[in-house]
Amino acid sequence: MRVGVIGGGQLARMMIPPAVALGVELRVLAEVEGSSAALAATAVGDYRDAATVLAFAADVDVVTFDHEHVPQDVLDALVRAGIPVRPGPHALAVAQDKTVMRARLSAIGAPVPDWARIADAGELGAFLDAHAGIAVVKTPRGGYDGKGVRVVRDAADADDWFADAADGLLVEEFVPFRRELAQLVARRPSGEVAAWPLVETVQRDGVCAEVFAPAPRAGTLPDVARELAVRIATELDVTGVLAVELFETEDGRLLVNELAMRPHNTGHWTIDGAVTSQFEQHLRAALDLPLGDPSPIAPVSVMINVLGGPSGERMTDRYPRAMADRPEVKLHSYDKESRPGRKVGHVTAIGGELDDVVARARAAAAFFQD
Amino acid sequence: MRVGVIGGGQLARMMIPPAVALGVELRVLAEVEGSSAALAATAVGDYRDAATVLAFAADVDVVTFDHEHVPQDVLDALVRAGIPVRPGPHALAVAQDKTVMRARLSAIGAPVPDWARIADAGELGAFLDAHAGIAVVKTPRGGYDGKGVRVVRDAADADDWFADAADGLLVEEFVPFRRELAQLVARRPSGEVAAWPLVETVQRDGVCAEVFAPAPRAGTLPDVARELAVRIATELDVTGVLAVELFETEDGRLLVNELAMRPHNTGHWTIDGAVTSQFEQHLRAALDLPLGDPSPIAPVSVMINVLGGPSGERMTDRYPRAMADRPEVKLHSYDKESRPGRKVGHVTAIGGELDDVVARARAAAAFFQD
């Protein structure tokens, strides 16, 4: 069993442990030498080049992804060559373009913020007028971790983006939300779907900072979120992990914020906190193997991202003090040079009681952030 | 942080996942191409050759082991070259020779079966006369999984072994035991020791078949075993994981059967059943990092080995049915060709109640053994 992964970031890296456990051979096409997933990198090259990707994929059983940026013409070339691509091009097209995503979600009746595709400042102004003078503008493609997202209050606030936006921009209503949640599911080609518990995510500067699993004080929202995510995965024919990022609005509704069709930062807690991690599940789904049990192994798991500082040191440099202080917290390093704001690792604590688990996870994370 | 592992078997393989998680670079000196730990193999060569081992070890921070068979002259060459070796040569000498082990254990007052070093059939006959006509003869070196161990009832029963036994053979009293147990601990150079729960091990044909963690109905034995293992690790200056295989005698005492100074089959359950696995702990100890929490994450864990059959197929061939039937059982393949009796993988189930967990683990294992 050979799985080819396009992209050598930390998501590909975190597929290595379950691949080793299961005896699945992982092959990674990395962008650069010395990538986070270098241990499993069998090729280094440009994922936008069809010949490079075809050569990489020639002797794997299935191709999957560390990111959603592989162009449709490259995906189509893989399909034409008879190589299973999971998730497939039609599903990925929805994840690759936020305007397409909004249109598809609206078409299947998923709850989303009011939205429109806009071509110029005039259309933005009209949207602002209809939405109390505040909105969120997004570039349809290429955004991540808060990049390509801007809160606007004036029709001229996105002028610098329109110049490069051949397909226009996406504008959405500004949603006053209580908090952000995420529902992860995995789906295999046969249709089987498995859902992890709904989680609460805390974002800082557009970057996932903390995840609480399961989402506390959620009432009936877990049932609503699971049903919604299963429906989206099924309607969009997603294979592999699907992350549905959600707003819990101030009036208690769920709205879909973003979709990701790959293992997701809000699911890193599953490595240490669930019977089957999102990375193992993604491999199983890609290989069309039966899915594993997504149940949590403890009442509470808390994941905190470690963001790099300016120092250029590595997360491992701080291990002696962090490990001595918190021997029960699981430390994960992505083997990346530190840069300000860069995700270089995460920590996860599990336990019986939310306040205690949060405190222990934060205590461990604090050793890496000053 | 770079750890060099001598030996490319499944124990080295199972160090890869925690090394990836922690951001520790693992480098393996494998015996052959295509070893179980091939993903991390940076060299292939003979571990009995000092030049080969020195070249491999030149740019790692510490050397540790997948097995205990590296000759003392090679270990000494590493030490002379200034390369940390953990466990060190003096500790490994005790694990490498069962007669030395018995002598050292006796010297520190650890409870062991009656034993003697014997040079010929006459000495074996005398030992048999003194022990009700039954004893166990062992070759001091190179035995594993029941090989090099023989129950004897006649002075001539070991004649074929004496010819090759320059240092004589080890003879021990035949211990009528209720069951076999194992106590694993890890110790770092600074002296810190961490102990996992005492486990019960079921052996078949001299090979570990099943492990129940913690050992059920053990009364005060866990305290006795932990104190004993900590004392052995400390007295012998072991660094890394130490496995103490124990007999629980029919009259309720503990006797030390064997020692292993590396991750051990009786500790595989810790991958899925403990906060810190024996493989992560071995890396931490080798690097002299603070040890992780060895607490179990569930009341009961059960590990069952998967032994190869004659078919030549791989464990992964049976995944579809096993995974569909038991989505919650963790499957581990060592990526080895199947041979009769060869350990090719294991399965682990965790849960709240022993009978249930045993049943689920056996149901999963049964898919791989017919």
Side-chain angles (χ1 to χ4, degrees), chain A residues 38 52 74 81 118 137 140 208 249 268 290 294 325 334 357 369:
Chain A
T52 298
V74 175
I118 51 174
V137 172
C208 176
T249 63
H268 290 355
D325 189 71
Y334 307 153
V357 179
Q369 315 204 271

Side-chain angles (χ1 to χ4, degrees), chain A residues 281-306:
Chain A
Q281 201 78 298
H282 193 74
L283 295 176
R284 288 184 182 226
L287 288 162
D288 200 17
L289 287 168
L291 299 178
D293 179 357
S295 301
I297 59 171
V300 177
S301 298
V302 172
M303 190 282 320
I304 301 182
N305 274 337
V306 175

Side-chain angles (χ1 to χ4, degrees), chain B residues 324-355:
Chain B
D325 190 70
R326 296 260 53 101
E328 85 289 5
V329 174
K330 304 310 292 180
L331 308 178
H332 296 263
S333 164
Y334 307 153
D335 199 23
K336 288 175 158 182
E337 289 276 354
S338 196
R339 284 202 309 259
R342 188 184 205 198
K343 292 174 187 171
V344 296
H346 73 267
V347 306
T348 302
I350 68 173
E353 202 269 315
L354 181 62
D355 289 347

Side-chain angles (χ1 to χ4, degrees), chain A residues 116-136:
Chain A
R117 182 199 299 243
I118 51 174
D120 55 36
E123 292 184 5
L124 175 54
F127 192 91
L128 281 168
D129 289 344
H131 292 87
I134 184 166
V136 179

Side-chain angles (χ1 to χ4, degrees), chain A residues 1 13 17 20-23 39 275-276 280 284 289-293 297 316 319-320 323-324 327-328 330-333, chain B residues 1 13 17 20-23 39 275-276 280 284 289-293 297 316 319-320 323-324 327-328 330-333:
Chain A
M1 292 181 182
R13 177 186 184 86
V20 168
L22 289 174
L39 181 63
V275 174
T276 307
E280 174 173 346
R284 288 184 182 226
L289 287 168
L291 299 178
D293 179 357
I297 59 171
T316 49
Y319 275 2
M323 288 177 167
E328 85 290 3
K330 306 309 292 181
L331 308 178
H332 296 262
S333 165
Chain B
M1 293 181 181
R13 177 186 184 86
V20 168
L22 289 175
L39 181 62
V275 174
T276 308
E280 175 174 345
R284 289 184 182 227
L289 288 169
L291 300 178
D293 180 357
I297 58 171
T316 47
Y319 276 1
M323 287 177 168
E328 85 289 5
K330 304 310 292 180
L331 308 178
H332 296 263
S333 164

Side-chain angles (χ1 to χ4, degrees), chain A residues 41-119:
Chain A
T42 55
V44 172
D46 186 348
Y47 61 79
R48 295 165 300 189
D49 179 67
T52 298
V53 173
L54 281 168
F56 163 75
D59 54 0
V60 300
D61 297 316
V62 58
V63 166
T64 188
F65 308 93
D66 169 83
H67 58 72
E68 291 126 335
H69 307 314
V70 180
Q72 286 285 322
D73 66 299
V74 175
L75 299 173
D76 290 342
L78 287 168
V79 171
R80 279 196 306 275
I83 297 162
V85 177
R86 292 169 187 159
H90 294 296
L92 276 171
V94 179
Q96 288 174 335
D97 186 302
K98 291 177 182 176
T99 310
V100 173
M101 186 190 296
R102 282 284 173 254
R104 283 286 285 147
L105 288 172
S106 297
I108 66 173
V112 294
D114 275 351
W115 65 277
R117 182 199 299 243
I118 51 174

